[in-house]
Amino acid sequence: MRLLYIITKLIVFPGAYLRGFWEQLTCRLLKLMVEPGGYIRLDEACGHVEHSLAEKQFAAYLMATGPGFMNFNMGMAFFLFGYINIFTLGVTRFDSIPLYICSLVALYIGVSLLCCLFPLTEDILRFWDIAYGGYAKKKRVAGRALDGVGKVLGFPFAAITRLGAFLEKNCVIFILWAAFLVWRFLSL
Amino acid sequence: MIKETFDPHASDDDNESITLEKGEETESAAAVGEEPAEEALEEGLCPRCKKRKVAKKHDYCYRCEDELRRTKIPLTGIICAVLAIAVSIICVVIVALDLAPAISVVKGDMYAIQNNWFAAHSAYAEVQTSATEVQNALATNKVGLFLGSLTNPGYGVKSKIYNTVMHIYDPLRAYQNSAYAFGESPDERYLKTDKNYQLCEKYYNRFQDTYLAVQEPVDLMQGMEKPDKSEGEKLFKLLEESRGAEKVDDVFLDYFIYTAATYFDLGEEKIFECFDQMKKDAEASEDDYTWLYYKDYADELLRYGHGEEAATYYQKLADRDISAYDPVRGLMNAKLLAGDVDGADKLVDAFCRENLINGENSDSNYSLLINMARVKGDFEEALDLIEEAQSKYASVPEYYRQKCLIYLAQENYDQAFEAAALCEQNAYYIASYYGDATYYTSDILMSTVYIATSLCDKYGKKDTENAQYISEILEDYKTLNIRQEFRDIVSGKTKVTDYLREGVCDFI
């Protein structure tokens, strides 16, 4: 699984690289320690940076969702541009080679960004632990603890991120995207 | 993952301490990265610099921690991120411009899934209009022109339009009108990859090859002034001799034979013999030929009074294209033939509800509604509907035909003739300008015009202008093959009102 994970991250290297960048930027903003070592590496942290875990509630939330949020926004823009041109407006290589190539590249970059949305399981588990576990009390974490309403409102996002992190770690998201694109190209 | 935490509130004494707490980590804090070097840990030195002591409750010395907090962000990362943001903003702008044409395509796809091919065609046809509107709005500067050029639909949409034409009409007509979908000079390389185009081309080539093989008997038939049954036998023999010849498609050959059989009006037995053969050959073929003969087969079944069986074929056609007018008209007539006026009314209502265009009736809806109003004997309502329909769709010949039928039912032959003449003119206009001669050459038009003109000639008042026109039309119709039952109306053996009574379908 580790090898498959690394291979998938190498295939979607633009998304992995930018994901790593956003993580490092978030760490910098939150003053978390980051081990230098690049964003594309041949281990489980491929597409991420090695960093210390956040202590505060908001910091943990931002580490879990911030980089993914950036990748999602940019990924959707690239993906929609490529998808609409190729699959909806039906641009082919016989219409305009530059536009077709641009659309293919945008589609690839978009999907690569969308394949790298979720944090490492450590990051989301840390947030989960602070928000829903006993970590906040034990460590007297700074910031107001989530009250009942906050816990309920935040639960879907936390749960989706936790599930997404698990799926991404096991390459399921990459496989789903690959299958979707193969199906769309075959149905052209 | 870098091991554990940094406490900003720790005292200097603490910072000098080398105590390492263990077991404080939660599951989430499981280390992913490198473990501090064991040797350094044992000596209480910072595993990174291996010089200074580890701060209390920390993994590294403060200097290393400080350095790690300021790990340099690579310049390539910054450049890539800035570029990605800039390009994604451009993508968002283009996506926003593409939105209107794209929504039309999606609408078309949704209709196509439901087999609502006319609505799908309309939606796909809007794509280019939307794209042109966007381009015109942007055509104020070079950037706008460039952005506008990115909203052009490609061959994918053209192919979808072609597919709708193929379903609304048939593969032969789709192939003959390829320029409508793909433009005057499409890229041949693309056409070779388009499955629908290739399919239509295959049918067209088979049709052409068969036509060339049977050209002699077909020319013979077309050259006849009147159907001559003695020549007919020779003609059928020639057609049959072509069977099995190289490049002759059996199903198309069967269709030519059926056409000849109807031309010579050889009667029910011969016509259904032709269809049996056609069905047999079509089933033996790997390709689908139902588009070629289903409608004719259903029409003939209805004509010879097999309404129930005709309805099953009309239903198959209606399922294939829920927006198609002919199958619904056929189903309506089949119900009328069975005396089920209410059933026919409900069927028309259901069809009209499903085929509204922007909440209003389509031209097909009006044709059916007028027909039903007339069949129910509500002539006033039918005439009101005709007026309303003509204010929206001025040149639909069927509206004039219905008007003509109403006047015939009222035995007002002069007005019936005028409506029939307008019906023929509009059908001719459509045939000439749009290349669609289906209605112009249809039996229902010819029989209506023939009957209305003949009856006007016989019983009408006829002003001078009309008299000349009537004689011209009747002269033309001398050479046409009009069914005996309609000639009987003109000769007075039967009454036209028998065909136009309440609950009876007209000249099917």
Side-chain angles (χ1 to χ4, degrees):
Chain A
M1 189 53 78
R2 179 176 178 265
L3 182 66
L4 185 63
Y5 176 82
I6 293 167
I7 290 170
T8 60
K9 287 291 166 187
L10 290 178
I11 292 171
V12 294
F13 73 92
Y17 186 87
L18 280 170
R19 162 95 208 177
F21 171 81
W22 296 123
E23 270 191 19
Q24 188 174 2
L25 197 68
T26 313
C27 288
R28 175 63 75 89
L29 291 171
L30 298 172
K31 296 196 171 115
L32 295 175
M33 291 183 284
V34 172
E35 186 78 62
Y39 308 133
I40 304 289
R41 35 201 291 176
L42 301 179
D43 58 26
E44 292 92 335
C46 186
H48 297 275
V49 287
E50 278 198 79
H51 61 87
S52 58
L53 292 173
E55 282 292 297
K56 296 176 186 175
Q57 195 163 277
F58 181 68
Y61 173 75
L62 209 59
M63 272 314 298
T65 59
F69 177 76
M70 290 303 291
N71 262 22
F72 177 78
N73 285 324
M74 293 196 310
M76 281 308 283
F78 278 99
F79 173 74
L80 284 176
F81 172 74
Y83 187 89
I84 287 177
N85 270 324
I86 295 173
F87 298 112
T88 311
L89 294 182
V91 171
T92 65
R93 63 184 191 277
F94 305 108
D95 293 296
S96 159
I97 291 174
L99 181 60
Y100 184 64
I101 291 172
C102 281
S103 304
L104 278 179
V105 171
L107 188 69
Y108 166 67
I109 293 175
V111 170
S112 79
L113 286 159
L114 294 172
C115 276
C116 301
L117 290 185
F118 296 102
L120 282 170
T121 43
E122 286 77 14
D123 283 326
I124 182 60
L125 285 175
R126 167 53 63 100
F127 171 68
W128 191 273
D129 208 24
I130 291 175
Y132 299 101
Y135 189 83
K137 274 185 188 169
K138 200 157 84 180
K139 284 276 188 179
R140 284 188 224 137
V141 169
R144 203 155 62 90
L146 284 181
D147 57 12
V149 175
K151 279 182 180 176
V152 171
L153 289 178
F155 183 78
F157 303 103
I160 289 168
T161 312
R162 191 170 171 175
L163 178 70
F166 173 77
L167 295 177
E168 195 171 305
K169 190 181 171 184
N170 290 291
C171 311
V172 177
I173 288 181
F174 174 84
I175 292 166
L176 288 175
W177 271 113
F180 173 73
L181 286 182
V182 167
W183 168 64
R184 289 305 286 136
F185 273 106
L186 286 178
S187 60
L188 268 181
Chain B
M1 191 70 60
I2 290 172
K3 290 279 264 182
E4 271 311 312
T5 56
F6 166 63
D7 184 356
H9 306 296
S11 67
D12 285 347
D13 292 342
D14 287 342
N15 292 343
E16 289 302 319
S17 105
I18 55 167
T19 313
L20 279 169
E21 281 194 12
K22 290 182 181 174
E24 286 272 327
E25 296 166 22
T26 59
E27 184 199 346
S28 62
V32 173
E34 289 174 16
E35 293 294 325
E38 278 182 26
E39 204 180 305
L41 274 174
E42 279 170 18
E43 291 172 17
L45 294 175
C46 169
R48 188 163 178 268
C49 64
K50 296 186 179 76
K51 289 176 190 168
R52 288 175 291 276
K53 288 178 181 175
V54 175
K56 190 184 175 185
K57 294 185 181 177
H58 288 240
D59 298 320
Y60 302 97
C61 66
Y62 276 119
R63 186 175 293 178
C64 282
E65 284 196 348
D66 199 37
E67 280 173 16
L68 288 171
R69 275 193 198 91
R70 286 184 286 148
T71 302
K72 198 178 170 190
I73 295 175
L75 184 63
T76 47
I78 296 169
I79 293 170
C80 285
V82 170
L83 266 177
I85 290 173
V87 178
S88 64
I89 289 168
I90 296 170
C91 285
V92 168
V93 173
I94 296 168
V95 167
L97 296 175
D98 281 345
L99 216 54
I103 287 171
S104 295
V105 176
V106 173
K107 262 166 68 181
D109 289 346
M110 301 297 282
Y111 286 128
I113 289 169
Q114 297 163 6
N115 286 341
N116 192 344
W117 292 105
F118 185 76
H121 179 84
S122 305
Y124 290 139
E126 272 175 26
V127 176
Q128 188 58 60
T129 317
S130 306
T132 309
E133 277 173 14
V134 171
Q135 284 162 4
N136 290 343
L138 291 171
T140 50
N141 54 48
K142 280 183 182 175
V143 179
L145 280 171
F146 170 71
L147 288 174
S149 70
L150 300 179
T151 63
N152 265 335
Y155 274 110
V157 173
K158 291 172 186 169
S159 179
K160 285 176 178 177
I161 292 175
Y162 191 74
N163 191 25
T164 59
V165 174
M166 194 175 127
H167 279 89
I168 292 169
Y169 299 105
D170 57 60
L172 295 182
R173 281 176 65 182
Y175 183 79
Q176 285 168 323
N177 296 296
S178 301
Y180 166 72
F182 293 115
E184 288 297 334
S185 50
D187 193 317
E188 289 294 329
R189 291 169 304 166
Y190 174 75
L191 294 181
K192 280 179 185 161
T193 66
D194 190 294
K195 283 178 200 163
N196 289 329
Y197 181 83
Q198 290 299 313
L199 182 69
C200 293
E201 191 178 40
K202 185 172 79 176
Y203 282 126
Y204 185 77
N205 288 340
R206 284 180 187 174
F207 173 78
Q208 280 294 97
D209 289 339
T210 311
Y211 178 74
L212 288 174
V214 298
Q215 198 168 10
E216 190 190 339
V218 170
D219 284 351
L220 183 73
M221 184 170 73
Q222 285 174 341
M224 287 178 191
E225 277 194 8
K226 268 186 166 184
D228 180 350
K229 288 195 180 178
S230 61
E231 286 290 314
E233 279 179 28
K234 185 183 159 193
L235 191 136
F236 280 111
K237 202 178 162 194
L238 282 169
L239 284 169
E240 283 297 345
E241 277 172 5
S242 307
R243 198 178 291 279
E246 199 187 353
K247 287 187 173 179
V248 169
D249 185 278
D250 284 344
V251 187
F252 282 119
L253 179 64
D254 294 333
Y255 195 78
F256 280 119
I257 294 171
Y258 156 70
T259 313
T262 52
Y263 180 71
F264 291 106
D265 202 5
L266 295 185
E268 186 177 354
E269 199 181 330
K270 177 67 185 171
I271 281 173
F272 288 112
E273 199 180 290
C274 290
F275 276 116
D276 287 342
Q277 184 65 37
M278 210 183 306
K279 277 203 281 187
K280 207 171 119 191
D281 287 333
E283 279 163 17
S285 163
E286 288 175 359
D287 297 301
D288 177 18
Y289 281 93
T290 54
W291 56 268
L292 178 67
Y293 68 90
Y294 261 25
K295 186 185 170 292
D296 291 301
Y297 188 47
D299 285 347
E300 294 295 350
L301 284 168
L302 192 68
R303 180 185 156 193
Y304 287 105
H306 309 290
E308 213 169 299
E309 203 182 343
T312 61
Y313 285 92
Y314 282 129
Q315 192 57 56
K316 283 177 188 174
L317 289 168
D319 292 342
R320 193 180 294 174
D321 179 5
I322 64 166
S323 61
Y325 165 75
D326 288 329
V328 180
R329 182 177 176 275
L331 282 169
M332 179 188 77
N333 282 335
K335 284 192 185 295
L336 290 176
L337 206 64
D340 183 6
V341 181
D342 277 351
D345 200 20
K346 280 176 189 163
L347 178 91
V348 168
D349 269 355
F351 177 83
C352 292
R353 269 200 308 276
E354 289 293 317
N355 286 278
L356 295 173
I357 298 173
N358 299 324
E360 292 191 0
N361 281 316
S362 65
D363 56 344
S364 301
N365 286 8
Y366 276 118
S367 294
L368 292 166
L369 288 169
I370 293 163
N371 203 333
M372 263 328 290
R374 182 186 58 73
V375 166
K376 286 191 287 184
D378 199 342
F379 293 156
E380 285 304 312
E381 191 195 336
L383 287 170
D384 288 346
L385 277 169
I386 289 171
E387 202 172 313
E388 188 185 322
Q390 284 180 330
S391 67
K392 289 174 187 167
Y393 308 99
S395 57
V396 177
E398 177 64 13
Y399 303 155
Y400 293 102
R401 196 182 81 88
Q402 290 296 333
K403 202 182 228 181
C404 169
L405 296 178
I406 291 167
Y407 291 132
L408 281 176
Q410 293 171 336
E411 298 184 53
N412 182 346
Y413 299 118
D414 289 297
Q415 281 198 294
F417 167 72
E418 278 177 20
L422 284 169
C423 172
E424 196 195 30
Q425 276 173 21
N426 280 290
Y428 179 74
Y429 172 83
I430 289 169
S432 312
Y433 288 90
Y434 299 106
D436 182 0
T438 321
Y439 195 84
Y440 186 62
T441 55
S442 67
D443 270 355
I444 53 166
L445 175 119
M446 288 199 287
S447 50
T448 308
V449 173
Y450 171 74
I451 292 166
T453 313
S454 304
L455 293 179
C456 182
D457 184 48
K458 220 168 171 181
Y459 307 114
K461 291 171 194 160
K462 296 181 289 181
D463 60 38
T464 331
E465 203 178 318
N466 275 355
Q468 193 192 343
Y469 193 28
I470 286 168
S471 58
E472 277 173 21
I473 291 176
L474 290 177
E475 190 61 33
D476 287 344
Y477 271 73
K478 272 183 186 169
T479 58
L480 290 177
N481 186 22
I482 302 293
R483 297 213 304 260
Q484 190 55 46
E485 56 182 309
F486 301 137
R487 292 193 185 276
D488 289 346
I489 295 173
V490 174
S491 65
K493 283 183 188 169
T494 53
K495 279 188 169 180
V496 70
T497 45
D498 290 344
Y499 288 83
L500 302 169
R501 273 186 291 114
E502 218 173 300
V504 177
C505 41
D506 61 281
F507 314 126
I508 53 171

Short mmCIF file of all heavy atoms in Angstrom, two decimals, chain B residues 182 282 340:
data_model
loop_
_atom_site.label_atom_id
_atom_site.label_comp_id
_atom_site.label_asym_id
_atom_site.label_seq_id
_atom_site.Cartn_x
_atom_site.Cartn_y
_atom_site.Cartn_z
N PHE B 182 -22.50 19.55 -39.09
CA PHE B 182 -21.04 19.66 -39.04
C PHE B 182 -20.47 20.85 -39.83
O PHE B 182 -19.27 21.08 -39.82
CB PHE B 182 -20.40 18.37 -39.59
CG PHE B 182 -20.64 17.18 -38.71
CD1 PHE B 182 -21.39 16.11 -39.15
CD2 PHE B 182 -20.12 17.14 -37.44
CE1 PHE B 182 -21.61 15.02 -38.35
CE2 PHE B 182 -20.34 16.04 -36.61
CZ PHE B 182 -21.09 14.98 -37.08
N ALA B 282 -34.65 -7.83 -42.33
CA ALA B 282 -34.10 -6.92 -41.32
C ALA B 282 -33.61 -7.70 -40.11
O ALA B 282 -32.56 -7.39 -39.53
CB ALA B 282 -35.15 -5.90 -40.90
N ASP B 340 -62.40 4.75 -29.13
CA ASP B 340 -62.03 5.24 -27.80
C ASP B 340 -61.65 6.73 -27.90
O ASP B 340 -60.46 7.09 -27.89
CB ASP B 340 -60.86 4.40 -27.27
CG ASP B 340 -60.46 4.79 -25.86
OD1 ASP B 340 -61.15 5.63 -25.25
OD2 ASP B 340 -59.44 4.25 -25.37
#
